[in-house]
Amino acid sequence: MQPIKQVLLSVAAAITVIAQGPGRGILGATPQQTDALARMNSDIASEVQNLAAMRSAMTEAAFAVPRDDRAIRTKAAAVREAEIAVATARAQAFAKIQSSADRLSASQTSALVAAGGGRGGGGRAGSPPRGTIPNIREAQVTALTKMSTGLMPLTRALTAARSAMAAVAFTEPFQPDALSAKAAAVETAELAVAMARADALQKIQASANKLAPAQLAAFLEMGGSFAGVTFTQPDPYNFNDHEGYISLFDGVSLKGWDGNPKFWRAEGGAIVGESTPQNPSGNSYIAYRDLVAKDFTLKFEIKVEGSGGSGLQYRSKTGIPWLSNIPENVTANVGPVNLAWMMTGPQADFWPSSRDYTGQFYSENTPMRIQAWRGQVVEGAGLARKQLMGNIGDREALGRLVRMNDWNEYIVIARGGTLIQIVNGQLMAVMVDDDPESSNNQPGIFGIEIEATTKVSVRNIWVKKLN
């Protein structure tokens, strides 16, 4: 077998042992041995949790502003005592296993030690790291990365010291006196890491890359290093998270909005558009004049009552000649088309009475028309040929997530030529337009459409503008 292959297999085996935990994947451990080791970990859980808390406190001390070396040394001593408590509790629990029918062989014990022996307390206590730092600049990332890589030799020494201490717990017979020297080595290594971290942070905070308090807190939550950052899940979907957003609707008036008052009003905390057989609107729009945006995230709630439809216009314009015919009854009701109240551009379609349209990407008043139907990821370039790149889901099944005659949560994410539309937490359509001259790719305004005989209500309109 080639040496490199041997190394890779050894690494893979070690990773398997560590990932599965003590007793799983350790040289043919029986189910009874696996259960015994699981009980061992359960028995020492409180000591491990306390060690994690002490190590977190030490990292916090290293990041304290102003710096307090005395506090760092105090925390290092607390870590040493917590390490001794963990090792002692682990040794006692392991001795019970070794005096039972589930005794581990010498090779199994060696594998357990090599895997870290179930060593706990390596990370922060409490919630898992988020893995994000708010509003961080690339130069700050570079500075923090340099700090992390600069600490690696010291953190490797710390890991070795902690591994050596953990191994003592699995020595037969257990030798409590051996813990003192190992614990002192851990304390020295912990102190070296903390002092070096404090030094590096001082340099960053005295530079143009100084971290804001929220950034420093987030980096601390990650463990104070980019090295070994764990995989993280994004925060759960929260439609009501408005941090960084501005409201486009005050809830009581149409301030900033411009539309035909025959059809549009503020009512019950919503912008309401209503078209009836006696007061037909045809295609009618109300435009928000106080904001122009290209890249943004938009959130709003929408409800349609009746058989007609609606949609939210974005990156749109008014004053452009209207392509479609205006019904005679609409012209008789409102007079010649007023282009100041007609919108052209991308639309997040919402037509719950239809089986096909809600959630699709529609280009209003352009020859492009429907570009990405609900359930599709489409790539194109303006009026050029477009191509289906992938499917999100069955169109009819996705349509069943849309609520008739009730409120629906709608999100639009616009980033460059990529336009994403989400309804009630479900991705509905993605359009990628690679033509920089396309109307899909121009900054524009927001607006609401009413079409056919229906009543549309829109509320809680929030936008996080990026440019």
Side-chain angles (χ1 to χ4, degrees):
M1 183 181 294
Q2 297 176 354
I4 186 64
K5 189 173 183 181
Q6 289 177 320
V7 171
L8 291 174
L9 289 176
S10 298
V11 170
I15 290 173
T16 299
V17 171
I18 294 169
Q20 292 179 336
R24 298 184 181 183
I26 296 180
L27 295 177
T30 65
Q32 292 78 15
Q33 288 175 318
T34 298
D35 290 342
L37 289 170
R39 287 193 298 273
M40 178 183 75
N41 285 339
S42 177
D43 290 343
I44 68 173
S46 61
E47 288 84 359
V48 169
Q49 185 175 7
N50 181 61
L51 174 56
M54 294 301 100
R55 297 197 74 214
S56 294
M58 183 161 183
T59 302
E60 290 172 4
F63 279 90
V65 179
R67 176 172 174 169
D68 187 342
D69 288 359
R70 182 177 179 181
I72 294 174
R73 291 189 177 91
T74 299
K75 300 301 181 183
V79 169
R80 178 194 65 210
E81 297 304 317
E83 288 274 15
I84 291 174
V86 169
T88 301
R90 181 177 284 121
Q92 293 170 349
F94 183 67
K96 292 180 182 179
I97 295 176
Q98 295 304 82
S99 63
S100 72
D102 301 322
R103 177 181 177 86
L104 300 184
S105 67
S107 58
Q108 287 175 320
T109 301
S110 296
L112 183 61
V113 172
R119 182 180 71 245
R124 288 181 54 76
S127 60
R130 293 168 58 90
T132 58
I133 300 177
N135 303 316
I136 191 164
R137 294 179 285 106
E138 190 64 31
Q140 291 176 309
V141 173
T142 299
L144 292 175
T145 300
K146 287 181 178 179
M147 181 175 77
S148 298
T149 55
L151 291 172
M152 281 183 180
L154 294 175
T155 56
R156 283 195 292 266
L158 173 57
T159 299
R162 297 190 70 228
S163 295
M165 185 164 184
V168 173
F170 298 101
T171 303
E172 295 185 85
F174 174 54
Q175 300 174 14
D177 293 341
L179 283 181
S180 296
K182 301 298 184 184
V186 169
E187 181 181 7
T188 298
E190 288 274 16
L191 194 58
V193 170
M195 290 298 189
R197 181 173 280 142
D199 290 341
L201 179 66
Q202 276 193 318
K203 292 179 181 179
I204 292 174
Q205 295 301 85
S207 73
N209 298 319
K210 180 178 180 178
L211 301 177
Q215 292 176 320
L216 189 58
F219 189 57
L220 180 60
E221 191 176 357
M222 296 169 65
S225 174
F226 284 151
V229 174
T230 59
F231 296 149
T232 60
Q233 291 287 343
D235 290 337
Y237 162 72
N238 182 4
F239 184 82
N240 294 317
D241 178 10
H242 297 145
E243 183 178 355
Y245 288 73
I246 60 172
S247 176
L248 302 190
F249 174 50
D250 62 17
V252 295
S253 74
L254 296 182
K255 180 182 178 181
W257 293 86
D258 179 24
N260 191 332
K262 286 176 66 69
F263 310 111
W264 296 101
R265 63 185 184 271
E267 178 181 276
I271 296 175
V272 175
E274 188 168 14
S275 175
T276 66
Q278 297 76 27
N279 185 33
S281 68
N283 288 74
S284 180
Y285 305 80
I286 186 168
Y288 188 73
R289 301 290 187 185
D290 290 350
L291 182 70
V292 175
K294 182 179 180 183
D295 289 353
F296 58 84
T297 299
L298 172 72
K299 297 180 179 182
F300 61 96
E301 288 183 283
I302 186 168
K303 174 173 66 175
V304 163
E305 301 169 76
S307 59
S310 181
L312 201 297
Q313 296 291 138
Y314 57 94
R315 289 186 177 179
S316 294
K317 293 178 171 57
T318 57
I320 296 175
W322 197 249
L323 298 179
S324 300
N325 292 325
I326 306 296
E328 292 183 2
N329 67 327
V330 173
T331 301
N333 186 41
V334 300
V337 61
N338 183 347
L339 294 180
W341 287 338
M342 305 298 278
M343 301 193 73
T344 298
Q347 182 189 101
D349 210 320
F350 189 79
W351 201 305
S353 63
S354 167
R355 298 176 58 187
D356 294 318
Y357 299 141
T358 295
Q360 72 179 2
F361 179 86
Y362 184 70
S363 180
E364 183 68 277
N365 194 39
T366 80
M368 292 183 285
R369 309 301 293 273
I370 298 175
Q371 291 196 278
W373 293 74
R374 183 173 64 226
Q376 294 182 342
V377 178
V378 175
E379 182 182 65
L383 283 169
R385 175 176 172 268
K386 58 183 184 286
Q387 186 173 19
L388 177 64
M389 305 301 289
N391 291 295
I392 299 164
D394 178 76
R395 188 178 304 163
E396 290 193 15
L398 293 174
R400 288 193 287 273
L401 300 176
V402 180
R403 294 188 279 268
M404 295 280 294
N405 301 314
D406 200 355
W407 291 105
N408 293 259
E409 297 174 349
Y410 215 131
I411 295 176
V412 177
I413 300 174
R415 300 290 191 276
T418 301
L419 306 161
I420 300 169
Q421 298 179 174
I422 301 165
V423 178
N424 294 327
Q426 171 62 54
L427 178 64
M428 291 292 189
V430 177
M431 179 65 205
V432 180
D433 190 330
D434 293 325
D435 180 3
E437 303 302 319
S438 168
S439 60
N440 294 331
N441 283 334
Q442 308 306 311
I445 61 176
F446 298 94
I448 307 168
E449 178 196 33
I450 187 171
E451 185 174 353
T453 302
T454 195
K455 178 181 178 181
V456 57
S457 302
V458 181
R459 67 185 185 187
N460 295 328
I461 312 170
W462 294 85
V463 63
K464 178 170 63 178
K465 178 183 173 182
L466 302 182
N467 61 33

